[in-house]
Amino acid sequence: MTSAGGVTDAWLASQRAGGGATPTSALQALRVAPVTHRVAKELLRQGHYLGTLPAGTRLSFGVFAGQSLAGVVTLGVGPPNGHRLIHGAGPDECLTMTRFLLSDRLPRNSESRVLSVVLRALRRNTSVRFVLTYADPAVGHTGVIYRAAGFLYLGLSQGVARYDIGDGRRHHSRTFSHVFGTRSRRHLEERGLTVRLVDQAPKHRYLYLLDASLQERIAVPILQFPKTGECDGSP
């Protein structure tokens, strides 16, 4: 898999050569380009309902309106067995879109445009063959933006328990493994953390094929899109 630095280098080279990776239609004011994880983390802390940059993040893209940073898209390691949604695929062939945040002040259809730019960058500059993403119905999200962008709907995922340590957030086990070197509740409690597991509801699961030849290898049924509610969103 191409590194984050490799994507950045390829992106800049494309821009210098007039590669057109940035939208140029009615949304020409938007620019999408790689940003550091530090920049992505701060924007997510301020504006995303989960407030965190997931451990295992590999790529972070900023969405710019003029000179202002107006959104961020992050991709990284998703569920341990996510790659198995494609028969015979390996972990390095898949990335999960872990956060998608855009300012409400951006023009209509910005979500679809940003997604198309990011997916095109992955196809051109990495060896990733498919992308997974999830929409959380617990906060009213059904994934309308993914339907518009050509994702396939694969039904609900299995709910994964989160860690509650009394700080007002519910953390993924991968975060604990990254920060503390373990996800064992016993070891965490030995370090003075009071840990409670909180069951999480399943999420809507979406798949985008960067390599169309994988269509016949999808391991689960492709389903009709879920009904939309009054609000929608992304990871």
Side-chain angles (χ1 to χ4, degrees):
M1 180 185 299
T2 303
S3 67
V7 171
T8 302
D9 292 342
W11 189 289
L12 292 174
S14 173
Q15 294 303 290
R16 287 193 293 268
T22 305
T24 56
S25 65
L27 301 174
Q28 73 272 11
L30 292 185
R31 181 171 58 88
V32 183
V35 294
T36 66
H37 293 347
R38 180 184 61 80
V39 169
K41 182 177 182 178
E42 178 60 21
L43 190 63
L44 292 169
R45 185 189 67 79
Q46 295 179 23
H48 195 276
Y49 74 97
L50 292 175
T52 60
L53 177 72
T57 296
R58 293 182 177 174
L59 298 171
S60 299
F61 292 93
V63 181
F64 296 86
Q67 297 302 311
S68 299
L69 182 61
V72 66
V73 182
T74 65
L75 301 103
V77 178
N81 297 320
H83 63 281
R84 294 184 180 177
L85 290 169
I86 301 291
H87 286 300
D92 287 345
E93 296 180 77
C94 173
L95 280 179
T96 297
M97 189 176 299
T98 52
R99 295 289 185 268
F100 190 105
L101 173 67
L102 293 185
S103 169
D104 291 338
R105 70 176 184 271
L106 293 181
R108 184 178 179 182
N109 298 325
S110 294
E111 296 88 351
S112 296
R113 178 64 72 177
V114 169
L115 280 174
S116 69
V117 174
V118 170
L119 293 169
R120 185 163 63 247
L122 295 178
R123 182 182 286 113
R124 289 177 174 176
N125 304 316
T126 78
S127 57
V128 176
R129 302 180 72 191
F130 60 102
V131 174
L132 298 176
T133 192
Y134 298 83
D136 189 354
V139 290
H141 298 172
T142 57
V144 169
I145 61 175
Y146 304 126
R147 178 175 182 173
F151 281 72
L152 303 174
Y153 179 58
L154 303 184
L156 293 171
S157 66
Q158 292 184 341
V160 177
R162 297 295 179 98
Y163 286 58
D164 182 353
I165 59 173
D167 62 352
R169 297 180 177 176
R170 295 181 178 179
H171 303 272
H172 195 283
S173 62
R174 186 177 294 111
T175 300
F176 280 86
S177 181
H178 177 73
V179 174
F180 298 104
T182 179
R183 63 185 67 182
S184 165
R185 290 179 66 192
R186 180 175 62 83
H187 288 133
L188 292 169
E189 288 172 352
E190 287 175 353
R191 298 186 185 190
L193 289 175
T194 300
V195 180
R196 183 172 64 96
L197 288 181
V198 180
D199 290 334
Q200 299 294 295
K203 296 181 179 180
H204 296 295
R205 181 175 55 184
Y206 289 87
L207 167 72
Y208 188 90
L209 297 177
L210 297 168
D211 180 349
S213 70
L214 298 178
Q215 178 85 34
E216 297 180 355
R217 291 166 49 188
I218 298 175
V220 298
I222 299 172
L223 304 176
Q224 292 185 341
F225 291 99
K227 295 181 179 180
T228 59
E230 293 183 355
C231 60
D232 192 48
S234 49

